[in-house]
Amino acid sequence: MGTKTVQKLDTVTIRFAGDSGDGMQLTGDRFTSVTAQMGNDLATLPDFPAEIRAPAGSLPGVSGFQLHFADHDILTPGDAPDVLVAMNPAALRTNIDDLAPGGTLVVNADAFTRGNLKKAHYEQNPLEDDSLSNYRVFRVPITTLTVGALEDHPLSSKDKQRAKNMFALGLMSFMYSRPIEPTQRWIESKFGRSPDIATANITALQAGWSFGETTEMFAHTYEVAPAVLPAGRYRQVTGNQALAMGLIAAADRSGLPLFLGSYPITPASDILHELSKHKNFGVRTFQAEDEISAVGAALGAAFAGNLAVTTTSGPGVALKGETIGLAVSVELPLLVVNIQRGGPSTGLPTKTEQSDLLQAMYGRNGEAPIPIVAASAPGECFHAALEAARIALRYRTPVMLLSDGYLANGAEPWRIPDVASLPDLRSHAEFATEPNADGEFWPFQRDPETLARPWAVPGTPGLEHRIGGLEKSDGRGSISYDPDNHHRMTELRAAKVAGIAKDIPPLELDDDEGAELLVIGWGSTYGPVRAAVRRARRMGHKVARAHLHYLNPFPANTGEVVLRYPRVLVPEMNMGQLRLLLRGTYLVDARGYNRVSGLPFTTGELVDAIVEHIETPRVPNGANTGATT
């Protein structure tokens, strides 16, 4: 590295931003992969444009990828980037306000043409006035340098320019002491059938590294030491990848074939893509023509004795509602995976939100309760899938598994579990094989402990039974219009779901002796809430914390926990849905911190909410419902 000095850092947050055709997601993913291999703890936040192909250089077309990595355990992708790589004026305009004061700004100076400045609504070039004086600005002609490095390559000028993201990756790899050899091997594998493209991208990558090494523009390079993590074997994983692997593991541990009936929808489609790669594990994936067909096929597969799954987002759950209700009525195990996104309707399809909790609770006609499990981190999606499968099989019920866009696309190091440590689900996946002693088969004769009915595979001699959406008689399963029977069946289905509370872990409490405030969250708020509570405690505040992984039923001790504290704060990326459930169930004076901007919470804003809640005088008798936005 010549005469450049090396500065050691404990944590860095970098954001790559550019046009949706600039390859920022690939750049960020490759930087993340190498960082994971180097042993840093990390968290990522990909940010996709909502439009399939917005006009090049426009503000709606900006794509971003933020990576936070450190030499210690971290919980979020970072509040504000320390470094922003902006490939064009639109990327600069949409991201510059997030860059930390004094932060590093690396811009592709070639892109700041009059036309691109106009598309980004700049009246004058920000590189030529004092509007960026609060930052360390490095103007690098990335496009020119990339094309120059590829002068002898047999590609068109347009194709050469496409490699500029690799130049940027090489430059940032040099600056932050990331080796480029793993990416070179990846390029060779990825583009093995297109050697000209592979060679051009590797050349651009090396050129970026060499520019950083030889230019006098950068006086320092930076190092972030590996994090001390629990012993084990790790891999980088996104939430959707972990969830797909969790489903495969559940099928293996139950001894059942895995069937996925799905219709592509952002941000759930990657689960379909991932599972389709694993036919060697007995996985069957069916891409249906619409959401209703997808869930219908999955329910049919459950009837036929499969571990059946359907994946979607909120709009798809709305379309699947009647068939989920049918699964409740006929009491078959079915996993409904909802990767939540911003709504209503199409809403913000590439952004994250937690607004489907009440839809999961009540989004069906009639009394149709289902268990709800929520994942809290990308890697934890694996275990959430296993647990949702366990509940569905043991209790013969559809289960809603909630994730969201932040978890689905975000990545982190994940310690690969020992297969022997995973729960054995075979006892929950046993089929009925014989009729009763009198030769009859009662399809709704229930297990006294779980209230689950027998699971009889079609075609089993002597176990023929009626299936369909009409109400069944208790026990025998024949169609019944008897009012008292319908009331009893409704109570039994509700009691079965409520009884799951005895079969799930108690709500864990991270107490702080003397705390009067409990911060309780669910889903992907886990990282930001935990980080905020840590920081608030360092500031001298007494704060307790709890996180719900089970939303229906709540863990049996939830009331005891929330009623223990005079103040309860519920941060949610919705307008107060868990808060509504806690207030209604336990009559607790819970207050909310709520925001639906399409982005996860930052640690700083939650610290501010915690401090404000502690310092605000309490209103007697819970008169103030206190929804904070």
Side-chain angles (χ1 to χ4, degrees):
M1 295 185 182
T3 59
K4 296 182 190 296
T5 60
V6 178
Q7 293 187 0
K8 295 187 180 296
L9 304 173
D10 59 358
T11 180
V12 177
T13 300
I14 299 176
R15 183 181 297 175
F16 298 93
D19 191 73
S20 57
D22 285 340
M24 293 296 95
Q25 301 302 323
L26 175 61
T27 304
D29 184 70
R30 291 312 310 160
F31 196 97
T32 299
S33 181
V34 174
T35 297
Q37 292 176 33
M38 295 189 69
N40 298 114
D41 196 15
L42 61 88
T44 70
L45 178 62
D47 188 15
F48 303 93
E51 299 181 33
I52 294 175
R53 190 63 176 97
S58 67
L59 298 177
V62 173
S63 177
F65 189 105
Q66 182 163 307
L67 165 67
H68 180 199
F69 61 103
D71 65 1
H72 55 275
D73 71 309
I74 57 176
L75 298 165
T76 74
D79 284 8
D82 304 300
V83 182
L84 172 62
V85 180
M87 299 296 284
N88 63 13
L92 177 65
R93 189 170 191 88
T94 56
N95 289 278
I96 189 61
D97 289 342
D98 295 334
L99 185 61
T104 298
L105 174 62
V106 178
V107 296
N108 178 15
D110 291 330
F112 282 71
T113 63
R114 180 178 299 178
N116 284 340
L117 289 168
K118 183 177 180 180
K119 291 177 184 177
H121 302 163
Y122 277 116
E123 295 183 0
Q124 56 186 359
N125 191 338
L127 303 182
E128 298 174 354
D129 58 26
D130 62 353
S131 61
L132 302 175
S133 59
N134 289 333
Y135 312 104
R136 294 191 303 151
V137 182
F138 298 95
R139 302 174 53 172
V140 181
I142 294 177
T143 305
T144 298
L145 292 171
T146 302
V147 172
L150 301 178
E151 182 178 3
D152 297 329
H153 286 258
L155 296 177
S156 68
S157 176
K158 185 176 182 181
D159 285 338
K160 290 176 181 178
Q161 292 182 40
R162 286 175 177 165
K164 61 183 179 290
N165 66 321
M166 288 294 105
F167 185 99
L169 176 58
L171 173 58
M172 298 309 295
S173 297
F174 173 80
M175 287 182 63
Y176 288 92
S177 307
R178 311 286 100 175
I180 60 175
E181 289 78 13
T183 297
Q184 291 178 182
R185 292 191 294 269
W186 179 86
I187 292 172
E188 291 169 352
S189 173
K190 177 73 173 178
F191 300 104
R193 296 183 179 180
S194 304
D196 288 344
I197 294 177
T199 302
N201 278 278
I202 291 172
T203 301
L205 179 71
Q206 294 170 340
W209 175 281
S210 298
F211 177 79
E213 187 175 31
T214 58
T215 184
E216 297 181 0
M217 186 179 294
F218 303 101
H220 308 288
T221 61
Y222 304 93
E223 288 185 357
V224 179
V228 178
L229 300 173
R233 186 181 181 189
Y234 287 79
R235 61 160 288 176
Q236 174 193 339
V237 70
T238 66
N240 276 350
Q241 289 172 333
L243 201 153
M245 288 188 284
L247 294 174
I248 295 172
D252 178 79
R253 301 298 286 174
S254 65
L256 298 174
L258 177 62
F259 178 91
L260 173 67
S262 183
Y263 180 75
I265 183 171
T266 301
S269 299
D270 283 343
I271 302 173
L272 170 62
H273 301 158
E274 183 67 26
L275 286 177
S276 68
K277 303 174 185 177
H278 299 293
K279 295 180 176 63
N280 56 310
F281 289 109
V283 178
R284 285 174 289 179
T285 54
F286 169 58
Q287 181 174 316
E289 65 269 29
D290 56 41
E291 297 281 6
I292 298 173
S293 300
V295 69
L299 184 57
F303 181 48
N306 293 262
L307 177 59
V309 186
T310 187
T311 54
T312 188
S313 188
V317 173
L319 293 168
K320 296 178 190 289
E322 183 179 6
T323 304
I324 297 172
L326 174 60
V328 172
S329 175
V330 300
E331 301 186 45
L332 285 170
L334 173 68
L335 296 186
V336 182
V337 179
N338 178 359
I339 312 297
Q340 300 167 94
R341 71 189 204 187
S345 187
T346 302
L348 288 77
T350 61
K351 310 301 179 182
T352 195
E353 205 160 284
Q354 287 184 296
S355 292
D356 296 348
L357 176 55
L358 294 184
Q359 181 189 40
M361 284 287 294
Y362 306 117
R364 294 161 296 282
N365 63 298
E367 295 288 338
I370 61 174
I372 304 171
V373 177
S376 60
E380 203 269 331
C381 289
F382 176 89
H383 299 284
L386 264 172
E387 179 64 355
R390 183 191 72 85
I391 292 172
L393 294 171
R394 178 170 167 78
Y395 291 90
R396 307 285 195 266
T397 178
V399 175
M400 185 80 75
L401 172 55
L402 295 179
S403 177
D404 60 41
Y406 167 43
L407 297 182
N409 298 314
E412 66 178 4
W414 175 60
R415 186 169 61 170
I416 301 172
D418 180 4
V419 174
S421 70
L422 301 179
D424 187 345
L425 305 181
R426 290 179 183 273
S427 63
H428 306 322
E430 295 176 349
F431 302 116
T433 57
E434 301 286 343
N436 299 340
D438 58 4
E440 286 191 85
F441 174 59
W442 286 28
F444 286 88
Q445 187 172 15
R446 301 177 183 278
D447 179 277
E449 180 182 357
T450 64
L451 298 181
R453 76 172 186 90
W455 193 2
V457 176
T460 306
L463 303 188
E464 297 84 359
H465 60 286
R466 183 182 294 273
I467 205 77
L470 297 176
E471 184 63 280
K472 313 296 186 297
S473 63
D474 183 21
R476 291 184 178 274
S478 56
I479 292 176
S480 173
Y481 294 97
D482 179 68
D484 292 336
N485 175 78
H486 176 57
H487 185 82
R488 174 170 172 75
M489 293 293 280
T490 300
E491 288 185 324
L492 283 169
R493 291 188 288 261
K496 179 170 66 172
V497 173
I500 297 171
K502 298 179 293 185
D503 190 28
I504 58 178
L507 177 61
E508 292 186 7
L509 177 62
D510 176 13
D511 195 20
D512 192 8
E513 187 175 353
E516 293 193 349
L517 171 65
L518 170 69
V519 182
I520 184 169
W522 69 277
S524 65
T525 61
Y526 172 81
V529 167
R530 189 177 173 194
V533 169
R534 278 184 183 178
R535 189 182 299 179
R537 287 173 176 173
R538 288 198 297 267
M539 295 166 61
H541 298 287
K542 297 287 188 179
V543 187
R545 181 187 62 85
H547 198 82
L548 286 162
H549 299 274
Y550 301 89
L551 282 307
N552 192 37
F554 288 130
N557 67 327
T558 303
E560 175 188 342
V561 169
V562 298
L563 292 171
R564 181 174 172 177
Y565 299 90
R567 296 171 182 260
V568 177
L569 180 64
V570 189
E572 298 179 83
M573 292 186 293
N574 59 44
M575 298 311 293
Q577 297 184 16
L578 175 60
R579 182 190 53 171
L580 178 68
L581 294 175
L582 291 175
R583 291 177 69 94
T585 305
Y586 303 110
L587 302 181
V588 61
D589 184 21
R591 314 293 175 93
Y593 180 78
N594 306 100
R595 178 167 62 77
V596 284
S597 64
L599 295 170
F601 289 131
T602 64
T603 302
E605 69 177 304
L606 291 184
V607 170
D608 291 343
I610 289 170
V611 172
E612 179 183 359
H613 200 59
I614 290 174
E615 296 178 349
T616 300
R618 295 186 67 227
V619 178
N621 302 321
N624 181 6
T625 58
T628 305
T629 57

mmCIF file of all heavy atoms in Angstrom, residues 244 247-248 251 256-260 275 281-285 306-309:
data_model
loop_
_atom_site.group_PDB
_atom_site.id
_atom_site.type_symbol
_atom_site.label_atom_id
_atom_site.label_comp_id
_atom_site.label_asym_id
_atom_site.label_seq_id
_atom_site.Cartn_x
_atom_site.Cartn_y
_atom_site.Cartn_z
ATOM 1 N N ALA A 244 -36.030 -20.173 3.584
ATOM 2 C CA ALA A 244 -36.119 -21.312 2.672
ATOM 3 C C ALA A 244 -35.395 -22.523 3.246
ATOM 4 O O ALA A 244 -35.905 -23.661 3.195
ATOM 5 C CB ALA A 244 -35.543 -20.939 1.300
ATOM 6 N N LEU A 247 -37.442 -24.128 5.964
ATOM 7 C CA LEU A 247 -38.524 -24.971 5.444
ATOM 8 C C LEU A 247 -37.992 -26.334 5.014
ATOM 9 O O LEU A 247 -38.624 -27.375 5.265
ATOM 10 C CB LEU A 247 -39.212 -24.271 4.276
ATOM 11 C CG LEU A 247 -39.971 -22.977 4.610
ATOM 12 C CD1 LEU A 247 -40.471 -22.314 3.326
ATOM 13 C CD2 LEU A 247 -41.132 -23.252 5.558
ATOM 14 N N ILE A 248 -36.830 -26.340 4.358
ATOM 15 C CA ILE A 248 -36.229 -27.614 3.950
ATOM 16 C C ILE A 248 -35.886 -28.451 5.184
ATOM 17 O O ILE A 248 -36.128 -29.665 5.224
ATOM 18 C CB ILE A 248 -34.981 -27.371 3.090
ATOM 19 C CG1 ILE A 248 -35.359 -26.685 1.777
ATOM 20 C CG2 ILE A 248 -34.247 -28.681 2.805
ATOM 21 C CD1 ILE A 248 -34.177 -26.238 0.947
ATOM 22 N N ALA A 251 -38.993 -29.999 6.631
ATOM 23 C CA ALA A 251 -39.422 -31.164 5.862
ATOM 24 C C ALA A 251 -38.565 -32.373 6.194
ATOM 25 O O ALA A 251 -39.074 -33.489 6.384
ATOM 26 C CB ALA A 251 -39.357 -30.847 4.368
ATOM 27 N N LEU A 256 -41.499 -35.438 5.811
ATOM 28 C CA LEU A 256 -42.537 -35.145 4.822
ATOM 29 C C LEU A 256 -41.928 -34.486 3.585
ATOM 30 O O LEU A 256 -40.948 -33.742 3.697
ATOM 31 C CB LEU A 256 -43.595 -34.207 5.411
ATOM 32 C CG LEU A 256 -44.393 -34.715 6.607
ATOM 33 C CD1 LEU A 256 -45.289 -33.610 7.144
ATOM 34 C CD2 LEU A 256 -45.224 -35.938 6.226
ATOM 35 N N PRO A 257 -42.502 -34.713 2.424
ATOM 36 C CA PRO A 257 -42.078 -33.942 1.247
ATOM 37 C C PRO A 257 -42.527 -32.500 1.394
ATOM 38 O O PRO A 257 -43.588 -32.219 1.967
ATOM 39 C CB PRO A 257 -42.792 -34.640 0.087
ATOM 40 C CG PRO A 257 -43.956 -35.335 0.713
ATOM 41 C CD PRO A 257 -43.548 -35.712 2.100
ATOM 42 N N LEU A 258 -41.717 -31.576 0.893
ATOM 43 C CA LEU A 258 -42.027 -30.148 0.975
ATOM 44 C C LEU A 258 -42.647 -29.697 -0.339
ATOM 45 O O LEU A 258 -42.083 -29.924 -1.414
ATOM 46 C CB LEU A 258 -40.761 -29.343 1.260
ATOM 47 C CG LEU A 258 -40.902 -27.811 1.301
ATOM 48 C CD1 LEU A 258 -41.847 -27.390 2.418
ATOM 49 C CD2 LEU A 258 -39.537 -27.153 1.479
ATOM 50 N N PHE A 259 -43.805 -29.040 -0.244
ATOM 51 C CA PHE A 259 -44.482 -28.500 -1.422
ATOM 52 C C PHE A 259 -44.694 -27.009 -1.217
ATOM 53 O O PHE A 259 -45.233 -26.581 -0.194
ATOM 54 C CB PHE A 259 -45.835 -29.174 -1.641
ATOM 55 C CG PHE A 259 -46.588 -28.617 -2.832
ATOM 56 C CD1 PHE A 259 -46.439 -29.187 -4.091
ATOM 57 C CD2 PHE A 259 -47.438 -27.527 -2.700
ATOM 58 C CE1 PHE A 259 -47.116 -28.675 -5.189
ATOM 59 C CE2 PHE A 259 -48.123 -27.001 -3.792
ATOM 60 C CZ PHE A 259 -47.963 -27.582 -5.033
ATOM 61 N N LEU A 260 -44.261 -26.218 -2.206
ATOM 62 C CA LEU A 260 -44.494 -24.772 -2.181
ATOM 63 C C LEU A 260 -45.396 -24.393 -3.341
ATOM 64 O O LEU A 260 -45.052 -24.614 -4.506
ATOM 65 C CB LEU A 260 -43.178 -24.004 -2.295
ATOM 66 C CG LEU A 260 -43.323 -22.480 -2.457
ATOM 67 C CD1 LEU A 260 -43.896 -21.856 -1.189
ATOM 68 C CD2 LEU A 260 -41.998 -21.825 -2.817
ATOM 69 N N LEU A 275 -36.004 -22.158 -3.147
ATOM 70 C CA LEU A 275 -36.485 -23.532 -2.978
ATOM 71 C C LEU A 275 -36.463 -24.299 -4.293
ATOM 72 O O LEU A 275 -36.284 -25.520 -4.298
ATOM 73 C CB LEU A 275 -37.896 -23.524 -2.393
ATOM 74 C CG LEU A 275 -38.000 -23.165 -0.907
ATOM 75 C CD1 LEU A 275 -39.457 -23.127 -0.467
ATOM 76 C CD2 LEU A 275 -37.224 -24.161 -0.048
ATOM 77 N N PHE A 281 -33.577 -32.341 -2.396
ATOM 78 C CA PHE A 281 -34.101 -32.579 -1.058
ATOM 79 C C PHE A 281 -35.584 -32.955 -1.080
ATOM 80 O O PHE A 281 -36.250 -32.933 -0.043
ATOM 81 C CB PHE A 281 -33.910 -31.336 -0.172
ATOM 82 C CG PHE A 281 -32.481 -31.088 0.220
ATOM 83 C CD1 PHE A 281 -31.777 -30.031 -0.321
ATOM 84 C CD2 PHE A 281 -31.828 -31.924 1.118
ATOM 85 C CE1 PHE A 281 -30.449 -29.796 0.041
ATOM 86 C CE2 PHE A 281 -30.509 -31.697 1.472
ATOM 87 C CZ PHE A 281 -29.819 -30.629 0.932
ATOM 88 N N GLY A 282 -36.093 -33.271 -2.237
ATOM 89 C CA GLY A 282 -37.499 -33.625 -2.332
ATOM 90 C C GLY A 282 -38.431 -32.433 -2.325
ATOM 91 O O GLY A 282 -39.630 -32.574 -2.051
ATOM 92 N N VAL A 283 -37.916 -31.269 -2.649
ATOM 93 C CA VAL A 283 -38.724 -30.050 -2.674
ATOM 94 C C VAL A 283 -39.426 -29.934 -4.022
ATOM 95 O O VAL A 283 -38.801 -30.087 -5.075
ATOM 96 C CB VAL A 283 -37.850 -28.809 -2.438
ATOM 97 C CG1 VAL A 283 -38.690 -27.536 -2.508
ATOM 98 C CG2 VAL A 283 -37.136 -28.915 -1.095
ATOM 99 N N ARG A 284 -40.711 -29.662 -3.963
ATOM 100 C CA ARG A 284 -41.470 -29.403 -5.190
ATOM 101 C C ARG A 284 -42.015 -27.984 -5.136
ATOM 102 O O ARG A 284 -42.696 -27.615 -4.178
ATOM 103 C CB ARG A 284 -42.609 -30.414 -5.338
ATOM 104 C CG ARG A 284 -42.135 -31.803 -5.764
ATOM 105 C CD ARG A 284 -43.254 -32.808 -5.763
ATOM 106 N NE ARG A 284 -43.656 -33.121 -4.405
ATOM 107 C CZ ARG A 284 -44.629 -33.971 -4.097
ATOM 108 N NH1 ARG A 284 -45.314 -34.567 -5.044
ATOM 109 N NH2 ARG A 284 -44.935 -34.220 -2.837
ATOM 110 N N THR A 285 -41.715 -27.209 -6.161
ATOM 111 C CA THR A 285 -42.194 -25.826 -6.215
ATOM 112 C C THR A 285 -43.145 -25.677 -7.397
ATOM 113 O O THR A 285 -42.884 -26.178 -8.492
ATOM 114 C CB THR A 285 -41.021 -24.843 -6.373
ATOM 115 O OG1 THR A 285 -40.231 -25.209 -7.500
ATOM 116 C CG2 THR A 285 -40.148 -24.850 -5.129
ATOM 117 N N ASN A 306 -48.391 -33.583 2.532
ATOM 118 C CA ASN A 306 -47.141 -32.849 2.382
ATOM 119 C C ASN A 306 -46.998 -31.786 3.470
ATOM 120 O O ASN A 306 -47.988 -31.342 4.063
ATOM 121 C CB ASN A 306 -47.102 -32.137 1.028
ATOM 122 C CG ASN A 306 -47.030 -33.087 -0.141
ATOM 123 O OD1 ASN A 306 -45.969 -33.344 -0.689
ATOM 124 N ND2 ASN A 306 -48.171 -33.629 -0.546
ATOM 125 N N LEU A 307 -45.737 -31.395 3.722
ATOM 126 C CA LEU A 307 -45.513 -30.154 4.443
ATOM 127 C C LEU A 307 -45.746 -29.043 3.434
ATOM 128 O O LEU A 307 -44.926 -28.813 2.543
ATOM 129 C CB LEU A 307 -44.094 -30.091 5.007
ATOM 130 C CG LEU A 307 -43.731 -28.796 5.733
ATOM 131 C CD1 LEU A 307 -44.651 -28.537 6.911
ATOM 132 C CD2 LEU A 307 -42.269 -28.814 6.183
ATOM 133 N N ALA A 308 -46.870 -28.365 3.537
ATOM 134 C CA ALA A 308 -47.338 -27.456 2.492
ATOM 135 C C ALA A 308 -47.114 -26.011 2.897
ATOM 136 O O ALA A 308 -47.383 -25.622 4.037
ATOM 137 C CB ALA A 308 -48.809 -27.694 2.196
ATOM 138 N N VAL A 309 -46.630 -25.215 1.931
ATOM 139 C CA VAL A 309 -46.282 -23.824 2.179
ATOM 140 C C VAL A 309 -46.795 -22.968 1.038
ATOM 141 O O VAL A 309 -46.772 -23.392 -0.134
ATOM 142 C CB VAL A 309 -44.751 -23.643 2.281
ATOM 143 C CG1 VAL A 309 -44.400 -22.210 2.679
ATOM 144 C CG2 VAL A 309 -44.143 -24.640 3.247
#
